[in-house]
Amino acid sequence: MAGLVPPGTTAIPAEASKTAHTKAEEKTDYMNLPCPIPFEELQREALMSLKPETFEGLRFDFTKGLNQKFSLSHSVFMGPTEIPSQSAETIKIPTAHYEFGANFIDPNLMLIGRVLTDGRVNARVKWDLTDNLSLTNEPHMSHGMVNFDYKGKDYRSQFQMGNGALFGASYIQSVTPHLSLAGEVFWAGQHRKSGLGYAARYETDKMVAAGQVASTGMVALSYVQKVSEKVSLASDFMYNYMTKDVTASVGYDYILRQCRLRGKIDSNGCTTAYLEERLNMGLNFILSAEIDHSKKDYKFGFGLTVG
């Protein structure tokens, strides 16, 4: 008799009780959403696979740390440089340059400077004024850009100012634990152009999808599938509804024990591969290749990175 259910009551199966408890735990807390990534990094996972830093020729990079915060870098590059041409074929001229750099990295302040033998000078300053507000100054060549970034609990905002009467602002907001919505606006006074854009990003542990639409005519979509902790597959779609240009590409990112291999192929027939091999602690060997049969443009490069 002890196993009988009293009249007027209904027994709740253990599985149903467990499911209801799980759904209660998964209920979204809209007052405690995660902070989204910066607006300019909406498609960073896809860019890592589909746009590796390919080069042509020889590259050697050496970085020497003087202390925990200050380091010096030396870079040597020897390879061809493309020049504008009216013909379909790519015209290249041999070039070589040396680059000297100084870096100061602190938890609240970052200073980076570069000087090249061809006369170019690049600099970047990033200063975290508070835990939420940061200031970035990026002068390079004859241009300058200042960024103000504010990081909220579940949103980020950015304001940009540059020479040539360039102004821009962006805002990104988390609306669910996985979905973020964003918008941007800019004004280029020197060229009398303005633009407005919208973006969305959806992210889980296994995939990342992002999309951007701008009044300038650009439509960009990307999708990354995380097959495992070491393998990711990526694809993107670029369309300009003013010029009617369309490009699609697929790529991969494979991390092995001693190396990392990335590559892609796009709808124009351009194939790219980029290999980073760790030979020893602080010593990496790099192989880069890009083949474009339609333009008869073939790029191959190798390099070493020390430090």
Side-chain angles (χ1 to χ4, degrees):
M1 298 296 292
L4 296 178
V5 179
T9 62
T10 303
I12 301 177
E15 295 182 358
S17 178
K18 185 178 179 180
T19 303
H21 183 67
T22 304
K23 289 183 178 180
E25 289 182 348
E26 294 179 352
K27 188 176 180 180
T28 302
D29 183 7
Y30 290 99
M31 301 302 294
N32 192 26
L33 295 175
C35 184
I37 65 174
F39 182 87
E40 62 270 16
E41 299 181 13
L42 278 171
Q43 305 191 41
R44 63 184 181 185
E45 291 84 1
L47 294 178
M48 286 292 292
S49 302
L50 300 175
K51 298 188 183 299
E53 297 179 0
T54 57
F55 62 95
E56 184 177 10
L58 169 66
R59 194 178 79 183
F60 177 76
D61 301 312
F62 175 74
T63 302
K64 175 65 175 179
L66 303 182
N67 53 47
Q68 293 182 350
K69 298 182 179 180
F70 188 69
S71 64
L72 300 177
S73 63
H74 308 269
S75 299
V76 177
F77 173 77
M78 291 183 289
T81 299
E82 298 181 5
I83 61 175
S85 174
Q86 298 292 338
S87 63
E89 295 186 3
T90 304
I91 299 178
K92 303 178 182 180
I93 57 174
T95 58
H97 66 255
Y98 164 75
E99 177 185 282
F100 172 76
N103 313 295
F104 178 84
I105 300 178
D106 186 76
N108 296 323
L109 178 64
M110 182 175 67
L111 306 173
I112 297 177
R114 297 288 185 269
V115 179
L116 286 82
T117 52
D118 58 6
R120 287 181 293 169
V121 178
N122 302 328
R124 184 168 188 252
V125 179
K126 185 178 184 295
W127 182 21
D128 293 334
L129 304 177
T130 66
D131 292 339
N132 295 331
L133 182 62
S134 63
L135 170 66
T136 305
N137 184 22
E138 300 184 13
H140 47 88
M141 297 181 68
S142 300
H143 304 279
M145 178 73 70
V146 178
N147 300 332
F148 294 91
D149 296 279
Y150 184 82
K151 178 182 177 182
K153 184 179 179 181
D154 57 1
Y155 69 91
R156 286 178 183 263
S157 60
Q158 183 184 81
F159 180 72
Q160 300 176 334
M161 295 185 299
N163 61 341
L166 176 63
F167 298 95
S170 64
Y171 180 85
I172 180 170
Q173 172 75 56
S174 293
V175 294
T176 72
H178 303 293
L179 178 64
S180 301
L181 301 179
E184 68 169 341
V185 61
F186 72 88
W187 163 254
Q190 184 176 2
H191 302 285
R192 300 295 179 181
K193 292 184 178 180
S194 62
L196 182 67
Y198 303 96
R201 174 185 169 94
Y202 187 84
E203 179 180 5
T204 66
D205 294 336
K206 294 294 184 180
M207 54 80 67
V208 177
Q212 292 180 258
V213 179
S215 59
T216 55
M218 185 269 295
V219 177
L221 305 174
S222 66
Y223 178 82
V224 177
Q225 179 69 44
K226 301 175 183 178
V227 180
S228 66
E229 294 182 357
K230 297 182 178 181
V231 181
S232 297
L233 301 177
S235 63
D236 72 346
F237 175 81
M238 305 288 292
Y239 173 63
N240 191 313
Y241 56 81
M242 291 186 178
T243 62
K244 307 302 180 183
D245 292 332
V246 181
T247 304
S249 60
V250 293
Y252 59 89
D253 189 350
Y254 193 11
I255 301 176
L256 299 172
R257 187 171 61 89
Q258 292 285 351
C259 73
R260 181 177 186 178
L261 179 62
R262 289 176 284 172
K264 72 154 189 177
I265 182 171
D266 62 25
S267 56
N268 296 322
C270 181
T271 305
T272 301
Y274 191 82
L275 172 67
E276 297 173 278
E277 176 79 21
R278 187 177 67 181
L279 303 179
N280 205 338
M281 184 66 65
L283 178 62
N284 295 332
F285 177 66
I286 302 174
L287 283 176
S288 173
E290 183 176 334
I291 301 176
D292 191 340
H293 291 290
S294 61
K295 295 182 180 179
K296 297 182 180 180
D297 186 15
Y298 312 103
K299 300 177 182 178
F300 299 94
F302 65 95
L304 280 176
T305 301
V306 182

